[in-house]
Amino acid sequence: MIRYTRSTRGISADKLNGFFEGWPKKPSPQRHLELLESSDEVIVAVDEESGDVAGFITAVTDHVLAAYIPFLEVLPRYRKKGIAGELLRRMLDKLKYLYMVDTVCDEEVIGFYKKSGFVKHTAMIYRNYTKQGG
């Protein structure tokens, strides 16, 4: 059973292993916990049986007009169970009062976001690979 929470209370770094798939230098679990705690909005999917974090979504927002979803990730063993969709649905519901909610995603997940009402657009990104992870 998966429990969804908008709090990081009770989540420890040792429950955050295996995330940031494909990153050349992954953030440590402690750094990941800091990311969750520092986000304006966060929703975490917790496996109630093991206590492990199965997935998470974060948003940064001005709480007036705009929000950006930088992270939505579900561990491989929990995929295809509707967790990512539920995390996104809950975050969009939380941010429904805003004019815009944007994200940047990989090509292979565009269809996933389209199902939730997102439209393909152009984005610019900058990555400081010397500061990545931690």
Side-chain angles (χ1 to χ4, degrees), residues 1 13 25 30 35 47 55 73 88 93 104-105 108 113 124:
M1 180 70 121
K25 183 181 174 191
Q30 183 57 44
L35 175 152
D47 181 331
E73 192 170 349
L88 183 58
D93 187 58
V104 175
C105 67
E108 61 268 13
Y113 284 100
M124 299 297 296

Side-chain angles (χ1 to χ4, degrees), residues 11-133:
I11 295 174
S12 58
D14 66 314
K15 299 296 184 181
L16 294 169
N17 291 303
F19 289 99
F20 302 100
E21 185 175 24
W23 284 44
K25 183 181 174 191
K26 299 177 184 192
S28 68
Q30 183 57 44
R31 190 83 163 149
H32 183 179
L33 183 58
E34 290 173 34
L35 175 152
L36 295 176
E37 292 172 340
S38 298
S39 295
D40 293 322
E41 301 291 345
V42 63
I43 302 171
V44 181
V46 179
D47 181 331
E48 287 192 316
E49 187 175 310
S50 67
D52 291 337
V53 172
F56 69 98
I57 187 170
T58 64
V60 291
T61 179
D62 58 21
H63 298 285
V64 177
L65 292 175
Y68 171 67
I69 296 173
F71 296 106
L72 169 55
E73 192 170 349
V74 175
L75 290 175
R77 70 181 178 272
Y78 292 101
R79 291 183 189 155
K80 306 291 184 197
K81 298 178 184 210
I83 295 170
E86 184 64 15
L87 286 166
L88 183 58
R89 185 195 67 73
R90 288 172 183 248
M91 185 60 78
L92 289 175
D93 187 58
K94 174 79 174 135
L95 301 173
K96 67 185 175 192
Y97 66 96
L98 297 172
Y99 169 72
M100 60 192 219
V101 178
D102 299 337
T103 193
V104 175
C105 67
D106 294 332
E107 192 75 30
E108 61 268 13
V109 294
I110 287 175
F112 166 80
Y113 284 100
K114 280 185 174 182
K115 289 180 199 172
S116 294
F118 285 76
V119 295
K120 190 172 180 178
H121 208 283
T122 302
M124 299 297 296
I125 65 170
Y126 171 82
R127 299 289 187 266
N128 184 351
Y129 289 110
T130 62
K131 291 289 191 181
Q132 179 178 330

